[in-house]
Amino acid sequence: MLVRERMSRHLITATPEMTYPTALRLMRDNTIRRLPVLDQHNRLIGIVVEKDLLYASPSPATSLSIHEIHGLLANLKMRDIMTTPVVTVGPECPLEEAARIMIDRKIGSLPVLEGDSLVGLITETDIFRIFAEALGAREAGLRATVVVPEGRGVLARVGGAIAAGGASILSLATFLGPDAQHRELTLRVRGTTADRLQSALESSGAEIIDLRDVQESYQPRLVG
């Protein structure tokens, strides 16, 4: 899967001369947290994120009056607080590489450039959504986490054992295992029982770490 398949294409942008109040209103009205900054030729020159506006605002402990604070913020421009240069990717970048870049750079989004033109934006929320999709988070069925030895034909053996029991795999993701000789697999399966799935996995040589029936989405607990 490539960035172009999941990036946001309809972007709200800022200019270098846009003021703090206008930028803040744009973010709030459109429920967004990032504003790419384009120059008069529509070339990307910076990006402003919500925390930039927060850090630019005076501390509550300031001795400035409300009138002085409003005047200060009204004259603050995006060119004064934007991040530049901007880390970007192209639309053909694999999604996992975009995720790696965000992790390595400790950033929450990547503008997507085609040549010099801004064509999209991929964010950490997009990556989380894809991660949940890859793990079948909205699919009811049996969820299993297993450890398998690293090697050729292991996935085929696990998948064949599950299929032989009449079940179908809804999703399958692989992760680093406890050591270099093993991989961890997380699967969502439909069309079998927990007992039959357990037998199938064990017959394939997989070590079962967790096996549960997931019929509904997990509901978070609200506190406070």
Side-chain angles (χ1 to χ4, degrees):
M1 189 174 289
L2 304 177
V3 162
R4 61 177 166 77
E5 299 175 59
R6 293 303 179 97
M7 68 185 185
S8 299
R9 296 177 180 272
H10 304 292
L11 303 180
I12 297 171
T13 62
T15 67
E17 300 305 310
M18 181 178 286
T19 62
Y20 178 104
T22 301
L24 184 62
R25 186 167 58 251
L26 266 180
M27 286 189 183
R28 289 178 175 174
D29 289 350
N30 294 280
T31 320
I32 57 175
R33 292 184 292 157
R34 301 164 182 88
L35 286 172
V37 182
L38 306 183
D39 68 10
Q40 59 184 342
H41 303 293
N42 286 324
R43 292 178 301 202
L44 181 72
I45 58 171
I47 190 168
V48 174
V49 300
E50 190 176 41
K51 69 177 182 180
D52 294 330
L53 301 185
L54 176 64
Y55 291 158
S57 180
S59 163
T62 181
S63 60
L64 295 174
S65 68
I66 294 296
H67 178 74
E68 290 172 321
I69 291 174
H70 282 222
L72 177 66
L73 295 180
N75 291 312
L76 189 62
K77 306 293 180 63
M78 293 304 99
R79 57 178 161 78
D80 301 318
I81 62 175
M82 69 184 185
T83 296
T84 187
V86 188
V87 181
T88 69
V89 294
E92 301 302 311
C93 177
L95 277 170
E96 65 273 19
E97 284 300 302
R100 180 192 58 77
I101 292 168
M102 281 191 257
I103 292 168
D104 291 349
R105 297 279 186 152
K106 296 181 173 61
I107 53 179
S109 64
L110 287 167
V112 183
L113 294 186
E114 195 162 31
D116 290 330
S117 300
L118 178 67
V119 295
L121 186 73
I122 191 82
T123 71
E124 57 192 0
T125 300
D126 298 321
I127 300 298
F128 287 147
R129 187 177 295 113
I130 295 158
F131 176 75
E133 181 181 317
L135 289 174
R138 298 189 186 278
E139 300 276 4
L142 295 170
R143 180 186 187 275
T145 299
V146 301
V147 173
V148 297
E150 183 78 73
R152 184 179 301 171
V154 172
L155 288 180
R157 187 166 65 248
V158 172
I162 292 171
S168 57
I169 297 176
L170 302 174
S171 67
L172 186 153
T174 68
F175 303 93
L176 295 177
D179 53 53
Q181 286 73 48
H182 293 84
R183 286 271 173 177
E184 187 172 294
L185 311 180
T186 296
L187 311 95
R188 291 249 180 165
V189 174
R190 183 179 294 163
T192 189
T193 64
D195 289 342
R196 289 168 63 190
L197 178 59
Q198 180 177 340
S199 297
L201 291 171
E202 290 175 344
S203 71
S204 73
E207 177 188 352
I208 299 173
I209 304 301
D210 181 72
L211 177 58
R212 64 184 69 189
D213 193 351
V214 184
Q215 295 301 325
E216 297 180 357
S217 298
Y218 182 83
Q219 295 302 312
R221 178 187 176 195
L222 302 180
V223 297

